[in-house]
Each structure stands twice: as C-alpha cells, then as structure tokens.
Amino acid sequence: MAADGAAGATGPTGATGTAGINGTNGAVGPAGTAGQNAIGIVWKGSLSASPDFPSVKWAYSNTATAKAYIYDGNTWTVLAQDGSIGATGETGTTGTTGATGNTGITGETGATGATGSTGEAGTTGTTGTTGSNGTTGSTPPVVSALINTPQTLKSGDTSASTVLSSKSGNIYFIKRGENAATPADIDTTIAANKAFLAISGATANTSYTVTVATGLVSWVYDLVAVDTVGNLSAIVAGWLADSR
C-alpha cells in the first residue's frame, strides 16, 4: 500500500464572525445599613470638679487631678491626662555679691516727757438704743428673692422674678459652683462670661427685676450682693437658668 503524502500548507484565516449580543445586567444588590450619626465631644473647659447635670459626650479638664474626663451617660471616664513633669534643669552660677553700703548715722534719742496726772473717771452714761445697720460698716448684706419663680431666660430677656439686698450696693448673678469669695473673684468670673452685674447701685431693701446679659455660659445662676464698702453676702440659690 502506498504511504500518505505530506500535509499541505495552511490556508488563509477566514473573516471574523459578527460579535454576539451582550447579556443583560445583573440585578442591583440591596442597600447596606445606614451608619449611626457621629456625636462630637462638648468641651466644658478646665474645672475643679465635674459639672452638674451632664449630658453624653460632655468632657472637661480636672485641675485637681490633671486628667481630662468624658461622660458616657452614667459615669465620668478618663479621656486623657497630663504628662509627667520633666527633670529640673541645672542651677545656674551664683552671681557676685555686691558691696555693702555704708551704715548711716544713728540719731539721738529724744527726752521722754513727763506723764500728766490721770483725771477722775466720769460717770458712765446710759446706753442708747441700738440703731439699724447702716450703709457702711462690717455687717455684710443679705440678698434674697421676694418673687422666686424658676425661670429659663436668654440674653436680653427680663425676669418676672425679683432680687433684693438689705444694703445698698451691687447685686450679681454668678454661675453655680464658681468662686465668689471677694469682689475681685466676681470680676474675674464676669470676664469669663460666668457672671454678670444684675443691678448696679441697688437701693437697700428695694425689689428689682433683672435683664439677662449677653454672652453668658448656659447654666444655673445664683445670687450674691456686695455693699458699697466691699462686704459680700452669702451666696443664695437663684431662680435663673440661662439658655443660649
């Protein structure tokens, strides 16, 4: 039998066929669950103790413990704390002591005068009636609220409740918990927008309504009076809550 002949040369490539029809798009998957809205920290500043009536995410720096705390709705937890104090640097070289000045001349002691004769004691007079406390003197004023209805007011609002001091002077509202031991302490608190002068030059035993100052920190405010010579009353729980 005869053997097969050798394979012939490869013929030319045929034309490319028409592209097939695209398939349909698949169905859209379900939307994911929406995330929770973020809650930012509300910074309350540097305080000696935790603020009253806190809300979730309130935070402050405690000046007594050197730590920052945040409120989670139940307790205050540590947010951060101050770093440790670095090592004390080396003491510098002591400067040269200056020369001692000359001692001045001591003056002569004058002669002691003769003591005069003691006169006879006069008869003690009758004690007069004790008067009421005057405007001046060491007796502190007493501040009070004749109409003491709790109110939440904004800047520029005028109260329905009233204030009164037993002595002439000034009447202040001061944020609860702030220092008001001296008139200087009150001035410092006013500068920090945590107090305001409610009545300037109040007349003793006169009742006044109050217009709320602008720019105050929102909180509960108590009463304190200062008379014309700087005597402070005791702080009295007030009826004013400021709301921005």
Side-chain angles (χ1 to χ4, degrees):
M1 178 180 290
D4 291 338
T10 302
T13 302
T16 303
T18 304
I21 299 172
N22 291 334
T24 58
N25 293 330
V28 177
T33 304
Q36 295 182 346
N37 291 332
I39 301 177
I41 291 176
V42 180
W43 185 251
K44 308 305 289 183
S46 296
L47 305 171
S48 59
S50 59
D52 296 332
F53 314 115
S55 297
V56 174
K57 296 297 182 180
W58 277 22
Y60 77 102
S61 175
N62 189 301
T63 55
T65 65
K67 296 180 180 179
Y69 296 87
I70 188 168
Y71 189 69
D72 63 8
N74 293 304
T75 59
W76 288 98
T77 58
V78 175
L79 178 63
Q81 69 181 58
D82 293 349
S84 59
I85 297 174
T88 302
E90 296 182 1
T91 303
T93 304
T94 303
T96 304
T97 303
T100 303
N102 295 329
T103 303
I105 300 171
T106 303
E108 296 181 0
T109 303
T112 303
T115 303
S117 301
T118 303
E120 295 182 1
T123 305
T124 302
T126 305
T127 302
T129 304
T130 301
S132 58
N133 291 332
T135 301
T136 61
S138 60
T139 302
V142 176
V143 68
S144 59
L146 296 182
I147 301 175
N148 195 13
T149 303
Q151 292 182 263
T152 299
L153 303 176
K154 296 182 178 180
S155 299
D157 289 347
T158 300
S159 68
S161 296
T162 58
V163 294
L164 174 149
S165 175
S166 64
K167 297 179 72 177
S168 296
N170 295 334
I171 302 175
Y172 300 86
F173 274 87
I174 186 164
K175 180 175 175 288
R176 183 163 295 170
E178 295 297 324
N179 185 19
T182 67
D185 292 334
I186 295 175
D187 290 340
T188 299
T189 308
I190 290 174
N193 292 326
K194 296 179 181 179
F196 69 99
L197 174 59
I199 304 297
S200 176
T203 301
N205 299 313
T206 301
S207 184
Y208 297 92
T209 57
V210 174
T211 299
V212 180
T214 60
L216 293 175
V217 174
S218 295
W219 207 252
V220 178
Y221 284 75
D222 295 329
L223 291 166
V224 64
V226 181
D227 66 18
T228 57
V229 293
N231 296 311
L232 273 73
S233 72
I235 294 177
V236 173
W239 38 255
L240 171 62
D242 181 76
S243 172
R244 296 297 91 214

